[in-house]
Amino acid sequence: MTDDPDKQLLERCLQGDAAAWDRFIRRFSPLVYYAIQKVVHAAETEADEIADLHNDIFLSLMENAGRKLRQYEGKNGCSVSTWIRVIAIRASIDHLKKKKRTAPLHEAEVESALIQAPQATDHLVEDEEKRILKQLIDELPPGDQLFLRLLYYE
C-alpha cells in the first residue's frame, strides 16, 4: 500500500468501493472541468456539452472493470492528478475532432498552453500538504510542537 492518498483512493475505487468512487469524482472534478475548458474554450462549446464530456470522462475511467484506472502506474513522478488531467485533455481533443467545430487543432499547442497555465490543483495540493504537516506536528511531543510552530508559523 502506498502513502499517497490519491493512489490509495484510486486503489479503493478499483476494489469497488462506491464511497471511494464518489470521493474520487469530487476530488478530481475541478481538475477535469479545468482541462476541458482550456481545450474547448475557443470552440464555443456550450455548458451542457462540457458537463456531458466531464461525465463521459469519468464513465470511461470505470468502463471495462476500470481498465483506464488500472493503467495508472505513477512512473517518473507522475501523480494521479497529472494523469487524470492528461486523460481529460486527450478526451477533450478527441471530442473536438469528432465535432469538427473548429479549425484543425494541434495537440502540441494545447498541451503547451496548459503547461504554461497555472495548475488548477496547486491550491488543493498546498492545502493537503498543510493538513498533513499539521497532523504530523500534532503527533510530536508538546515541546517539539511549540518549537516548530514558533520557527515556521510565527
Side-chain angles (χ1 to χ4, degrees), residues 60-88:
S60 74
L61 291 173
M62 286 306 286
E63 285 178 342
N64 302 319
R67 184 182 58 83
K68 276 190 182 177
L69 282 181
R70 292 181 196 287
Q71 292 174 348
Y72 174 74
E73 296 176 352
K75 289 184 177 178
N76 299 321
C78 177
S79 68
V80 175
S81 59
T82 300
W83 180 71
I84 295 293
R85 188 170 136 233
V86 168
I87 289 172

Side-chain angles (χ1 to χ4, degrees), residues 4 8 19 21 30 37 39 44 48 64 77 79 84-85 88 95 109 113-117 128 149:
D4 181 356
Q8 291 174 356
W21 180 243
Q37 290 170 345
V39 174
E44 298 178 11
D48 289 345
N64 302 319
S79 68
I84 295 293
R85 188 170 136 233
H95 175 76
E109 291 173 5
L114 286 169
I115 288 169
Q116 293 172 0
E128 185 68 14
R149 285 193 175 106

Side-chain angles (χ1 to χ4, degrees), residues 18 25-26 40 51 74 88 101 109 128 131:
I25 291 171
R26 282 192 312 274
V40 302
R101 294 178 77 178
E109 291 173 5
E128 185 68 14
R131 185 188 64 76

Side-chain angles (χ1 to χ4, degrees), residues 48-66:
D48 289 345
E49 194 173 342
I50 291 173
D52 288 343
L53 182 55
H54 167 270
N55 293 339
D56 289 345
I57 289 168
F58 279 103
L59 287 173
S60 74
L61 291 173
M62 286 306 286
E63 285 178 342
N64 302 319

